[in-house]
């Protein structure tokens, strides 16, 4: 995470005696990336975080993947997946995936179980609703438009908190997700040209200190899933400090980078992950050259697949293609894509785009998953052949 935080009670020096009111030692837990060679946080538990009383294999909901064949652009209508609701972890419906990242959607109306993903970070985007993210670090409250980044192996629970269900896009990485390196100093501070900074980032501000015994936690790991029963509740932390913790950032705090002529997608980059990036398209002033064409030019990303989740406003380049709230477009490597017919001409003279979208560009091909196939608009690929 970009900056250091200290929450709750911690001793003045690391790895020194820190005693509870009854005289016993608090139990330290160092959570760190890349062995002991990268970001970490040090947590202080009332009980041993290693104490389990049972472990058994767990069978999660499954999904299948098929290649994008024939190779063509796809349009997925996520709101067609609406059912009676589910929990925001086990209820995820997987749309697209490769060996680096899995992209899922869920309409959630109930709390998730306690869950730990030991295979990679999660970046959650709230399309609508309100959500409480509980973890040993404390609570993060999220609202529509928030990204929430949950580091690898963080035990957490996702709790919808409003009267309406939560609509959630989940990006699950096979590695770590963070701000683009080009926006950070060598010491991790956001630089002046970054479209967001530390003031925009929220972290937990108080430990939960939950009591409980024989607490179940589902763990996804490199060999499958296991259900542990912990002797004591893992949210028993009295304090922690460090750089590694769940954090939230609102897409509405992303400051767009604009220019006289059309700016390419890297200016919208918000996060980077292993072999993929996440970008934010937000309402913004657009190109101010007198002869500018504000919508994107036709382009062929020879190294990446482009997935775009439409989450608000009016996406000018896709008018007439059937794109709607909650739509996902997939434009694969090997296909030249661009604005819909007539969009370039219509955009001339426009000085503001009122659009909100989340883009995931992957550097390995994305496969289609069961739920993606189930909500596909089969006519999308042919919309460029229509007259504008």
């Amino acid at each position: 995470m970009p900056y250091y935080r200290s929450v709750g009670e911690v001793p003045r020096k690391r790895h020194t005696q820190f005693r509870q009111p009854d005289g016993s030692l608090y139990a330290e837990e160092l959570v760190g990336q890349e062995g002991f060679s990268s970001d970490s946080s040090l947590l202080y538990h009332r009980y041993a975080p290693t104490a389990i009383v049972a472990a058994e294999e767990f069978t999660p909901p499954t999904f299948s993947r098929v290649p994008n064949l024939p190779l063509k652009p796809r349009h997925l209508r996520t709101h067609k997946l609406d059912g009676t609701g589910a929990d925001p972890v086990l209820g995820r419906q997987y749309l697209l995936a490769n060996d680096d990242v899995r992209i899922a959607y869920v309409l959630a109306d109930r709390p998730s179980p306690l869950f730990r993903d030991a295979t990679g970070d999660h970046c959650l985007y709230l399309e609508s609703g309100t959500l409480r993210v509980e973890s040993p670090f404390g609570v993060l409250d999220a609202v529509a438009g928030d990204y929430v980044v949950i580091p690898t192996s963080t035990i957490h629970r996702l709790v919808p908190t409003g009267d309406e269900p939560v609509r959630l896009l989940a990006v699950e990485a096979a590695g770590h997700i963070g701000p683009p390196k080009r926006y950070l100093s060598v010491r991790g501070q956001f630089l002046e040209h970054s479209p967001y900074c530390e003031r925009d980032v929220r972290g937990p501000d108080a430990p939960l200190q939950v009591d409980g015994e024989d607490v179940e936690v589902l763990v996804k790991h490199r060999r499958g899933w296991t259900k542990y029963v912990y002797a004591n509740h893992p949210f028993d932390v009295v304090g922690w400090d460090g750089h590694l913790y769940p954090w939230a950032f609102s897409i509405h705090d992303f400051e767009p980078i604009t220019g006289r002529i059309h700016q390419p997608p890297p200016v919208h980059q918000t996060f980077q992950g292993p072999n993929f990036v996440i970008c934010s398209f937000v309402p913004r002033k657009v190109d101010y050259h007198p002869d500018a064409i504000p919508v994107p030019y036709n382009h062929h990303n020879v190294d990446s697949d482009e997935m775009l989740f439409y989450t608000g406003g009016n996406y000018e380049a896709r008018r007439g293609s059937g794109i709607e709230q909650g739509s996902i477009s997939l434009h694969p490597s090997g296909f030249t894509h661009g604005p819909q017919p007539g969009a370039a001409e219509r955009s001339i003279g426009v000085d503001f785009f009122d659009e909100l979208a989340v883009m995931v560009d992957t550097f390995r091909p994305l496969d289609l998953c069961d739920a993606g196939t189930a909500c596909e608009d089969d006519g999308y690929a042919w919309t460029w052949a229509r007259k504008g």
Side-chain angles (χ1 to χ4, degrees):
M1 184 45 221
Y3 66 96
Y4 170 85
R5 290 176 65 89
S6 180
V7 172
E9 300 177 60
V10 298
R12 194 182 73 82
K13 295 284 288 184
R14 291 184 296 178
H15 314 311
T16 58
Q17 296 178 36
F18 182 34
R19 296 190 178 276
Q20 305 193 44
D22 65 1
S24 61
L25 288 170
Y26 285 110
E28 290 182 308
E29 180 189 13
L30 182 71
V31 180
Q33 297 175 344
E34 300 177 20
F36 295 87
S37 303
S38 189
D39 293 345
S40 66
S41 286
L42 188 58
L43 297 88
Y44 293 87
H45 292 263
R46 288 180 291 158
Y47 304 98
T50 49
I52 57 173
V53 297
E56 62 182 53
E57 190 173 359
F58 178 78
T59 302
T62 59
F63 65 94
S64 61
R65 291 164 41 181
V66 295
N68 182 6
L69 292 175
L71 186 73
K72 63 177 184 177
R74 309 276 179 166
H75 172 205
L76 314 181
R77 288 178 160 149
T78 61
H79 289 194
K80 287 184 65 178
L81 300 172
D82 288 1
T84 57
D87 85 63
V89 170
L90 295 180
R92 292 178 190 176
Q93 301 193 67
Y94 288 86
L95 306 168
L96 303 163
N98 62 25
D99 290 342
D100 302 312
V101 64
R102 299 169 302 277
I103 299 167
Y105 188 82
V106 62
L107 178 69
D109 63 356
R110 66 202 67 172
S112 76
L114 292 176
F115 173 62
R116 162 185 275 162
D117 190 341
T119 68
D121 293 0
H122 289 191
C123 180
L124 312 178
Y125 178 80
L126 268 71
E127 179 190 352
S128 63
T130 58
L131 186 73
R132 187 173 70 242
V133 182
E134 301 173 347
S135 76
F137 298 90
V139 170
L140 266 177
D141 288 312
V143 299
D146 276 348
Y147 293 104
V148 179
V149 178
I150 301 176
T152 307
S153 282
T154 300
I155 297 176
H156 62 279
R157 187 169 79 120
L158 305 178
V159 183
T161 54
D163 295 330
E164 300 296 327
V166 168
R167 292 186 179 275
L168 186 71
L169 184 77
V171 180
E172 303 175 1
H176 303 309
I177 298 172
K181 289 184 179 179
R182 69 179 181 278
Y183 291 141
L184 302 176
S185 74
V186 293
R187 295 177 179 84
Q189 181 180 3
F190 280 108
L191 298 171
E192 284 293 300
H193 64 284
S194 173
Y196 64 104
C197 73
E198 288 86 353
R199 296 184 187 183
D200 302 314
V201 169
R202 312 192 309 274
D205 58 8
L208 279 166
Q209 298 192 36
V210 176
D211 290 313
E213 297 180 347
D214 297 335
V215 178
E216 292 185 354
V217 177
L218 300 181
V219 178
K220 180 183 177 184
H221 49 88
R222 295 172 187 174
R223 296 294 186 185
W225 288 58
T226 295
K227 181 169 69 176
Y228 287 120
V229 178
Y230 278 82
N232 300 99
H233 202 291
F235 297 171
D236 66 336
V237 170
V238 298
W240 61 271
D241 74 335
H243 290 253
L244 189 64
Y245 48 86
W247 55 286
F249 164 70
S250 173
I251 196 171
H252 303 298
D253 286 328
F254 185 88
E255 298 301 334
I257 298 170
T258 60
R260 292 186 76 217
I261 59 175
H262 186 79
Q263 300 297 296
V267 302
H268 306 288
Q269 188 181 351
T270 312
F271 307 102
Q272 65 181 38
N275 288 320
F276 72 88
V277 299
I278 300 175
C279 301
S280 302
F281 290 82
V282 301
R284 64 196 181 279
K285 292 281 189 180
V286 290
D287 320 338
Y288 50 89
H289 187 285
D291 294 325
I293 301 176
V295 297
Y297 35 78
N298 297 316
H299 53 287
H300 180 187
N301 299 335
V302 298
D303 293 320
S304 61
D305 281 13
E306 177 188 289
M307 185 225 84
L308 204 57
F309 176 62
Y310 303 86
T311 182
N314 176 26
Y315 202 77
E316 193 69 28
R318 291 283 161 263
R319 192 191 304 178
S321 64
I323 294 295
E324 59 194 9
Q325 177 71 29
S327 284
I328 284 178
S329 63
L330 172 64
H331 297 150
S333 172
F335 169 74
T336 301
H337 64 278
Q340 296 300 132
E345 190 70 44
R346 287 194 304 268
S347 74
I348 294 173
V350 173
D351 62 2
F352 185 83
F353 281 176
D354 182 18
E355 63 188 21
L356 202 63
V358 175
M359 185 169 78
V360 182
D361 271 9
T362 67
F363 296 100
R364 285 200 274 190
L366 284 165
D367 292 335
L368 296 165
C369 303
D370 302 335
T373 302
C375 67
E376 184 178 4
D377 166 17
D378 292 329
Y380 178 70
W382 327 121
T383 56
W384 283 269
R386 301 172 186 163
K387 293 183 178 181

